[in-house]
Amino acid sequence: MTINNKQLALPSELLYHKCDLSYLKLTSTEDLVDSEDVIGQSRALEALNFGIGIRHDGYNLYVAGSTGMGKHTTVNNLLEPRAKSAETPSDWCYINNFDQPHKPLALELPAGHARQLHADMEQLVDDLTIAIPAAFESDEYQARAQEVHDKFKKREEQAFSDLADKAKDKDIVLLRTPGGYTLGPLKDGKILTPSEFDVLAKKEKDKIKAFTDEIEEELKSIIKKVPIWAKEGREKIKELNRELTEVTVEQFISELKDTYQDLPEVLKFLETVELGIITNVEEFRKYAGSDKKDPLADFDQVFLPFQVNVLVDNSDLEGAPIIYEDNPTYNNLMGRVEHLAQFGTLMTDFTLIKSGAMHRANGGYLVLDIRKVLASAFAWEGLKRALRAHEIKIQSLEQMLSLVSTISLEPEPIPIDLKVILTGERIFYYLLKKYDPEFNQLFKVMADFSEEMDRNEDNTAGYASLIATLQREQKLKAVSRGGMERIIEDCSRRIDDGEKLSLHMGNLVDLLCEANYWSTEENTKITTEIHVQKAIDSRIKRLDQLREQVHETVLRGDYLLQTSGKQVGQINGLSVIQLGDYAFGKPSRITATARLGTGKVIDIEREVDLGGSIHSKGVLILSSYLADRYAQDTPLSLSASLVFEQSYGFVEGDSASVAELCTLLSALSKLPLEQSMAITGSVNQLGQVQAIGGVNEKIEGFFDICHARGLTGEQGVIIPEANIKHLMLRTDVVEAVKTGRFNIYAVNHVDQVMELMTGIEAGEKDEKGEFPVESVNGLVQKRLTEMTEARRKFAKSDDEK
Amino acid sequence: MNDQIINGDLTVRRILMDIDAWGTGVSFMQSAFGLASHLEAELFGLFVEDAELLQAAELPFTREISLSSAQYRDLDASSIIRHMQVEADKLRRQMELLAATSKINWSLNIARGERFEQVFEKCNEFELIIFMPGRKYSTRREQGPSSNVKAPAVLLYKSGTHSLRALHVIKLLMTNGAFSYLKLLTLDNSAEKKAKEQLEKTGIPVNYVHIPNTEITELTRNIMSVSPGLIVFPFLDEWREQPSVIKDLLDKLPCPLILVR
């Protein structure tokens, strides 16, 4: 008995969920005010507000959502007012540690003071390089220094002179030699010649020798004292220098002390500087008037201990900082100690310590992209360590990994109080949650951005306002009402749901910009639906090459696909090929064969490892359906094979399971299936047809092939009834349906599909549990019974043997 | 030469520079060359090998006590002579270098004997005799002021051409600001007045001091009270008979002395 199931055909009105903004009574975006609300993200906003507001340990945020959802903008919009009203955090500097120069000290200052202190210290050095030499050149100092010098010189000379006098009394003269002194005996004021000495009596000679020895011993004793006297003289000069420096430096330092009197840490620093200058006063004298730019003068190195390295300067900041680190490497986050190559050696000092994003965000907020953090070696570990310890310790990776053994700096850690906001995809959140125990303790708040929202009147109105806001933000032309409607429709189509709206801001902005481009090209004042459509079409066109090639293989007969006639055990299935953010439908021929067997349905894709587990699940479900429906009381005595013909890639998903079941039923019942139809949908064990994804692309994929071959009015696509709400089909498809040249059927049970595909009633079980003989199910049951009987016979024959 | 003086000729044609065998400072020689260049005079360096020392070195028990180690070392005349020759060569090279820039006539003469006697013997041939500072018992080789402060210069001014020439020399030496001021020692008001006339338009700061006599103790006291950088004295008549006075003075001086004839 043939039936007509045309009532399952969908009217064209259901194929496209048109947007109608007439209730807003507007003509373009100019009639709308800017939207201040973030639409469709109430859950995320609530979480964000909570996460930003709570100031307890570990309440850092993870903002989850796809790229282009507007996470950064939303976070920034929420942070800005809160940050502005917050207290501006302190400045941070590194200063020289005069006791342990390799361990620079951190200095916290009220905002704006670091830069001032830096300038003050530079000025101090400049002043002192003039004032100290001037003080040392003063007549007073010179006179005192000369006095000390003369005193010690005189003492030395006096000692020699006294000894010379003493020697003279004993007729001995003290003489200078190239390297010291010697003594010579005198006679009548003249030195004895060797011959005069020789003729002297032994007693006289012994006397001279004894005197000479005595004077020599004294001379030796004086010479030994000379270095001691010289040292004493130097000490005296040093003392004098110190005294003079103290007086000179104190004048300048006391001015600074007055300026920073409320900052005890700075006063402490100034005291160490004062001491440092007094200790290194010779450097100030040495570099008096030297050119700062002269590299040989090494000016910077000499006066470096008195400098201030401003690590964080918040002088221009109003409120708390919001730092977005675009390149969150370990060094960029934690700061680093740079080095300078000097004569082949790497040198560093505390002025080469550079701040990281965490330093700059201290007292405020640090926004990071989790993907980039995880992709940077040790950045994640460094971030966690700092958050856990509440301080930033600048340590080079080379040191951490023991790659270098040279002595480097160990800057004093800086305490931190900041909120870290990570943004990224959900997958990272869940992976970190599962595999990193510290993540739970440090990132306790998740703000989950919705990908879509309901397409009701309120939300659509909000969306229209959003379009207007973005249009103005991007400085684009106004968009007409029609343009807005088309944009909203496209936003539904993007997520394959006529009753939902995509919240992907990136795509929305792109579409607005591209439509604006076409509008500008056409020199119109306003962007209309025509420009929006052109933007959509041209985007598809740009990405469409592979689809065209695939369809061409079908149309040229390389890929076998019938769009007319009837065939047993053969059906047109539909699949979707996803390429980046573009997807298209591809019809596929699915065939089935059935024979006597033990109830096993072979999924050929699975057998050759080209089928995914979800696909295999679908095949197993249809085996169960067969057994349940047709062989409850008897063994299922068939062997069947299912295959996607000419498929050489991986097949995944269960959206072809209805098609596979129908092919198998056709193979069993020997009823030919309409080849002008294609089908998509998954099936459960009860034969119910379930929703699938990519319904629009699938329909359009088959439509394009049919259209190319010529629409007959018989062609169409069967889809699950549950997918009706997802329909957002292209205009040409809708138009073809409207004019009866193409059909789309919505079904909820496999029986409906078989009736549509065979034109024969599926058949219901009667009271005896049997299907009508001529129905689809009756024929299937009959064939399975025959198979069971045949199997029994085989079994009996085997037993007899 | 005397004629020139009588005629009021203040020209200086020849300068005698006394050179210490144990280290005449380069700065001292530079000053001497500078002065000679200024006066367009010929510079005559005299290096005296110490005969006393050589004699002493020949005695059997003589030994040297090192200034750097306070240890005894053997001393013999030949090594001293060798050392003196090395020093003389060194001095000659230094003088050659200095002469190259100053373009003056110069010579270095080596004599053996008692240093002061040798210089004094020759002094009649020169208008200016520059003596190294005495400091006989100093352990430092470089003589002169130790700090970079500008020291004053001291001038003894009496009436007579020698004094006038001395004033002429000191004016030249002070024009480049090498000394802070001039301490001018005079015996009476008339000398002071004459000196003032000569100095009034030079802009040289002068401290006039009257001294009762030119005895060595008086001169030394006045010199040592200011730690001068240079002393310029006219060659006094009384010193001609008693040159040992100058020797005693030199032993006490902290800086070069220029005797002007």
Side-chain angles (χ1 to χ4, degrees):
Chain A
M1 192 180 80
T2 56
I3 61 158
N4 181 1
N5 264 342
K6 289 289 179 189
Q7 70 273 13
L8 296 175
L10 293 176
S12 61
E13 294 77 35
L14 291 179
L15 304 183
Y16 189 80
H17 290 74
K18 198 161 169 36
C19 173
D20 182 6
L21 296 177
S22 58
Y23 68 99
L24 292 176
K25 299 191 179 3
L26 52 86
T27 55
S28 74
T29 47
E30 286 180 345
D31 299 327
L32 289 164
V33 291
D34 282 349
S35 167
E36 288 181 1
D37 300 328
V38 181
I39 61 168
Q41 302 292 7
S42 55
R43 183 199 310 272
L45 286 175
E46 197 176 315
L48 276 171
N49 277 317
F50 169 74
I52 292 167
I54 190 165
R55 298 304 297 186
H56 287 89
D57 201 16
Y59 279 87
N60 297 296
L61 283 107
Y62 188 100
V63 182
S66 309
T67 307
M69 296 299 299
K71 298 189 295 291
H72 278 140
T73 311
T74 308
V75 167
N76 200 50
N77 290 345
L78 282 178
L79 288 180
E80 260 184 6
R82 199 180 279 265
K84 265 191 181 161
S85 61
E87 194 182 333
T88 305
S90 306
D91 289 348
W92 283 94
C93 307
Y94 269 112
I95 51 172
N96 182 44
N97 183 341
F98 287 88
D99 296 327
Q100 291 176 290
H102 72 288
K103 290 184 173 177
L105 301 170
L107 180 64
E108 184 179 11
L109 296 164
H113 282 63
R115 195 192 286 181
Q116 186 57 47
L117 181 62
H118 173 80
D120 286 344
M121 291 311 293
E122 280 205 334
Q123 188 60 49
L124 177 72
V125 169
D126 281 353
D127 290 343
L128 289 178
T129 50
I130 296 166
I132 289 177
F136 277 87
E137 280 165 16
S138 67
D139 290 345
E140 184 197 342
Y141 170 77
Q142 294 290 350
R144 287 181 65 185
Q146 187 68 49
E147 196 180 309
V148 173
H149 180 82
D150 288 349
K151 186 180 164 191
F152 283 91
K153 201 170 167 184
K154 210 171 271 177
R155 180 181 182 177
E156 182 186 310
E157 285 174 0
Q158 193 61 50
F160 284 111
S161 179
D162 290 350
L163 184 66
D165 292 346
K166 186 178 174 185
K168 205 171 182 179
D169 291 345
K170 297 186 177 188
D171 283 334
I172 290 172
V173 66
L174 183 63
L175 295 166
R176 278 290 301 274
T177 65
Y181 285 96
T182 191
L183 301 168
L186 293 172
K187 190 180 178 186
D188 303 327
K190 298 277 180 189
I191 290 184
L192 283 176
T193 62
S195 54
E196 283 172 339
F197 183 75
D198 284 345
V199 297
L200 290 176
K202 187 177 179 298
K203 196 179 171 189
E204 192 67 19
K205 282 181 184 173
D206 290 345
K207 192 179 162 193
I208 291 171
K209 182 78 173 64
F211 284 156
T212 309
D213 287 348
E214 186 192 333
I215 302 296
E216 272 180 351
E217 276 308 306
E218 282 187 46
L219 178 63
K220 206 171 166 183
S221 164
I222 292 169
I223 290 174
K224 278 182 180 173
K225 281 177 189 165
V226 168
I228 298 165
W229 293 336
K231 192 182 169 199
E232 279 177 28
R234 285 197 300 274
E235 288 297 325
K236 282 277 177 197
I237 291 286
K238 222 178 207 176
E239 204 177 295
L240 176 65
N241 291 354
R242 187 187 173 88
E243 190 186 307
L244 183 73
T245 313
E246 267 176 5
V247 174
T248 311
V249 174
E250 201 189 348
Q251 297 164 9
F252 292 94
I253 290 276
S254 64
E255 273 179 39
L256 286 179
K257 280 182 178 172
D258 287 346
T259 310
Y260 296 98
Q261 59 182 328
D262 298 331
L263 302 170
E265 288 300 311
V266 178
L267 295 180
K268 201 170 142 191
F269 168 59
L270 290 172
E271 271 162 24
T272 58
V273 165
E274 188 174 0
L275 199 63
I277 292 169
I278 291 166
T279 314
N280 294 286
V281 68
E282 287 308 318
E283 301 294 347
F284 282 86
R285 294 179 68 187
K286 186 172 146 192
Y287 283 86
S290 65
D291 182 3
K292 275 188 181 181
K293 287 174 186 167
D294 179 4
L296 294 177
D298 208 12
F299 193 92
D300 288 344
Q301 284 302 310
V302 172
F303 301 111
L304 191 134
F306 314 112
Q307 289 182 18
V308 169
N309 176 11
V310 179
L311 200 70
V312 180
D313 177 10
N314 286 327
S315 52
D316 297 331
L317 190 69
E318 283 177 25
I322 305 168
I323 303 295
Y324 173 68
E325 178 53 61
D326 190 38
N327 183 21
T329 60
Y330 176 84
N331 283 345
N332 285 356
L333 280 177
M334 312 299 295
R336 63 196 180 280
V337 179
E338 292 186 339
H339 291 77
L340 282 175
Q342 284 182 350
F343 305 109
T345 309
L346 289 178
M347 307 289 288
T348 189
D349 58 68
F350 76 97
T351 62
L352 294 174
I353 302 171
K354 305 293 173 189
S355 67
M358 294 197 82
H359 293 103
R360 296 191 297 278
N362 198 3
Y365 306 93
L366 176 62
V367 186
L368 298 170
D369 186 334
I370 186 66
R371 184 187 286 268
K372 290 176 183 172
V373 173
L374 293 175
S376 300
F378 299 98
W380 177 240
E381 288 306 315
L383 177 71
K384 283 191 301 179
R385 198 186 316 121
L387 289 175
R388 218 170 38 229
H390 303 287
E391 64 178 26
I392 320 167
K393 189 177 178 186
I394 299 177
Q395 196 177 11
S396 76
L397 281 177
E398 295 86 342
Q399 271 181 299
M400 274 170 61
L401 302 173
S402 303
L403 293 175
V404 289
S405 56
T406 50
I407 296 171
S408 189
L409 297 181
E410 291 174 38
E412 185 184 3
I414 288 179
I416 51 164
D417 174 22
L418 80 167
K419 197 168 277 289
V420 177
I421 298 162
L422 295 175
T423 64
E425 290 90 338
R426 282 176 198 83
I427 183 73
F428 290 115
Y429 178 82
Y430 292 115
L431 283 172
L432 288 167
K433 197 93 179 153
K434 185 169 181 183
Y435 293 110
D436 189 343
E438 286 174 331
F439 181 73
N440 291 323
Q441 292 167 0
L442 296 173
F443 292 88
K444 293 181 179 173
V445 183
M446 182 204 196
D448 195 358
F449 269 62
S450 300
E451 305 287 322
E452 58 191 34
M453 66 176 177
D454 289 341
R455 194 173 139 184
N456 54 36
E457 278 199 353
D458 285 348
N459 286 347
T460 307
Y463 217 82
S465 293
L466 177 65
I467 292 169
T469 309
L470 292 173
Q471 170 250 310
R472 284 189 276 271
E473 268 181 14
Q474 300 290 322
K475 298 184 172 44
L476 306 174
K477 290 179 188 176
V479 183
S480 70
R481 192 185 100 188
M484 283 192 279
E485 289 169 345
R486 187 67 195 93
I487 289 169
I488 290 169
E489 288 161 6
D490 184 64
C491 289
S492 287
R493 168 63 198 256
R494 274 183 182 272
I495 51 168
D496 263 337
D497 197 331
E499 294 178 356
K500 296 277 183 186
L501 280 168
S502 165
L503 289 170
H504 198 288
M505 293 302 118
N507 288 341
L508 181 56
V509 171
D510 289 349
L511 181 58
L512 272 167
C513 292
E514 288 167 26
N516 186 76
Y517 169 79
W518 291 113
S519 157
T520 309
E521 283 289 293
E522 291 182 11
N523 211 16
T524 57
K525 286 184 179 171
I526 196 162
T527 302
T528 67
E529 60 274 28
I530 296 165
H531 306 120
V532 175
Q533 188 58 48
K534 191 154 186 182
I536 295 167
D537 292 344
S538 55
R539 172 164 46 85
I540 292 170
K541 175 87 175 164
R542 291 197 294 273
L543 303 166
D544 204 24
Q545 182 161 259
L546 185 64
R547 184 194 67 85
E548 275 185 12
Q549 287 171 352
V550 169
H551 286 187
E552 194 180 70
T553 58
V554 174
L555 296 171
R556 292 175 72 186
D558 298 338
Y559 188 89
L560 299 178
L561 191 83
Q562 272 184 253
T563 51
S564 61
K566 290 190 171 185
Q567 286 292 338
V568 172
Q570 177 178 303
I571 201 165
N572 294 326
L574 293 166
S575 57
V576 170
I577 294 177
Q578 184 82 39
L579 294 166
D581 58 351
Y582 176 65
F584 63 91
K586 175 179 171 284
S588 303
R589 173 178 285 182
I590 300 168
T591 62
T593 57
R595 58 206 168 272
L596 191 60
T598 55
K600 192 175 178 187
V601 177
I602 298 168
D603 173 12
I604 291 178
E605 314 297 333
R606 180 70 174 174
E607 295 297 313
V608 295
D609 290 334
L610 282 173
S613 46
I614 299 170
H615 181 258
S616 298
K617 182 188 171 191
V619 174
L620 289 173
I621 285 171
L622 65 92
S623 303
S624 301
Y625 170 77
L626 283 179
D628 177 63
R629 190 135 202 223
Y630 305 112
Q632 280 200 340
D633 302 325
T634 53
L636 190 58
S637 305
L638 91 158
S639 271
S641 302
L642 287 164
V643 68
F644 270 67
E645 300 290 357
Q646 290 183 279
S647 165
Y648 309 108
F650 199 76
V651 176
E652 181 55 307
D654 66 349
S655 69
S657 59
V658 172
E660 288 166 331
L661 178 55
C662 292
T663 327
L664 191 53
L665 292 175
S666 165
L668 285 168
S669 65
K670 303 294 181 191
L671 288 169
L673 298 173
E674 281 288 348
Q675 298 300 301
S676 59
M677 305 271 269
I679 180 163
T680 182
S682 72
V683 67
N684 64 16
Q685 291 191 106
L686 304 175
Q688 291 165 327
V689 177
Q690 301 161 152
I692 45 78
V695 65
N696 294 299
E697 286 83 359
K698 285 173 178 174
I699 293 170
E700 287 164 1
F702 190 65
F703 174 82
D704 287 339
I705 298 293
C706 295
H707 185 261
R709 286 176 173 172
L711 294 173
T712 61
E714 295 300 318
Q715 295 139 335
V717 176
I718 301 168
I719 62 166
E721 198 178 86
N723 278 116
I724 295 173
K725 58 181 173 293
H726 300 135
L727 291 175
M728 286 299 289
L729 289 165
R730 276 189 341 234
T731 317
D732 54 345
V733 182
V734 175
E735 198 55 36
V737 171
K738 199 172 180 180
T739 55
R741 292 180 292 135
F742 196 72
N743 304 289
I744 292 163
Y745 302 98
V747 298
N748 55 29
H749 197 276
V750 72
D751 284 351
Q752 292 171 308
V753 183
M754 286 309 287
E755 285 176 354
L756 279 165
M757 297 294 280
T758 60
I760 295 170
E761 186 190 0
E764 295 287 333
K765 277 184 179 174
D766 59 14
E767 290 167 352
K768 291 177 187 171
E770 291 184 352
F771 292 105
V773 179
E774 296 301 320
S775 68
V776 173
N777 291 327
L779 290 168
V780 171
Q781 191 171 41
K782 184 185 168 206
R783 176 70 182 135
L784 287 172
T785 307
E786 285 169 2
M787 282 178 163
T788 306
E789 196 56 39
R791 190 178 166 197
R792 188 180 296 136
K793 280 179 188 171
F794 273 118
K796 198 174 178 183
S797 146
D798 283 348
D799 288 347
E800 284 172 357
K801 284 178 186 169
Chain B
M1 197 184 297
N2 285 337
D3 293 342
Q4 289 165 3
I5 296 168
I6 293 159
N7 295 333
D9 183 0
L10 300 181
T11 310
V12 175
R13 290 191 171 79
R14 303 190 78 204
I15 299 172
L16 176 65
M17 176 172 63
D18 156 47
I19 297 171
D20 183 0
W22 310 135
T24 296
V26 178
S27 57
F28 170 74
M29 288 218 295
Q30 268 175 338
S31 306
F33 268 82
L35 181 64
S37 176
H38 228 91
L39 296 167
E40 295 178 356
E42 183 185 346
L43 186 66
F44 187 92
L46 181 62
F47 179 81
V48 181
E49 292 174 353
D50 191 343
E52 280 191 327
L53 180 61
L54 287 169
Q55 202 169 318
E58 283 170 356
L59 291 169
F61 57 87
T62 311
R63 52 190 177 175
E64 181 186 44
I65 301 169
S66 164
L67 263 177
S68 53
S69 64
Q71 296 299 313
Y72 295 116
R73 277 197 301 243
D74 287 342
L75 192 68
D76 64 88
S78 60
S79 68
I80 292 173
I81 291 169
R82 209 166 36 250
H83 182 86
M84 284 175 171
Q85 283 167 350
V86 169
E87 282 291 317
D89 285 347
K90 213 156 70 179
L91 282 166
R92 192 183 303 279
R93 283 195 297 277
Q94 278 177 356
M95 289 178 82
E96 276 168 1
L97 279 173
L98 291 166
T101 51
S102 57
K103 292 177 182 169
I104 57 160
N105 291 327
W106 66 279
S107 59
L108 176 65
N109 295 271
I110 299 166
R112 185 173 292 179
E114 202 279 317
R115 185 177 147 210
F116 181 76
E117 283 173 7
Q118 289 293 322
V119 174
F120 204 75
E121 252 177 39
K122 291 183 170 60
C123 72
N124 286 343
E125 301 163 28
F126 300 88
E127 288 89 14
L128 257 61
I129 303 106
I130 305 174
F131 287 99
M132 273 284 294
R135 298 285 159 152
K136 191 173 168 182
Y137 303 118
S138 172
T139 55
R140 294 163 184 82
R141 291 177 72 90
E142 178 80 27
Q143 304 293 323
S146 60
S147 64
N148 55 2
V149 67
K150 282 181 191 170
V154 177
L155 173 72
L156 175 65
Y157 187 82
K158 285 175 80 178
S159 56
T161 316
H162 290 179
S163 285
L164 271 176
R165 184 175 280 138
L167 195 61
H168 173 61
V169 168
I170 201 77
K171 271 157 69 180
L172 282 175
L173 289 168
M174 290 199 75
T175 44
N176 61 2
F179 302 97
S180 55
Y181 68 93
L182 176 65
K183 181 172 181 179
L184 199 141
L185 309 177
T186 54
L187 288 168
D188 51 50
N189 286 337
S190 69
E192 184 182 326
K193 194 182 169 193
K194 280 182 186 169
K196 269 182 184 167
E197 282 168 12
Q198 295 291 324
L199 292 167
E200 68 180 349
K201 287 180 182 171
T202 59
I204 297 169
V206 187
N207 179 20
Y208 295 93
V209 176
H210 281 200
I211 53 171
N213 54 59
T214 55
E215 282 176 12
I216 198 77
T217 47
E218 185 59 32
L219 290 174
T220 308
R221 192 177 63 77
N222 275 283
I223 289 165
M224 300 310 280
S225 67
V226 290
S227 293
L230 179 70
I231 301 157
V232 181
F233 283 173
F235 197 95
L236 303 178
D237 292 337
E238 57 262 39
W239 292 349
R240 199 181 303 274
E241 304 304 320
Q242 281 184 296
S244 62
V245 174
I246 306 175
K247 191 183 174 193
D248 290 344
L249 181 66
L250 283 171
D251 281 346
K252 292 180 172 64
L253 295 185
C255 62
L257 166 71
I258 300 176
L259 278 183
V260 182
R261 295 186 73 253

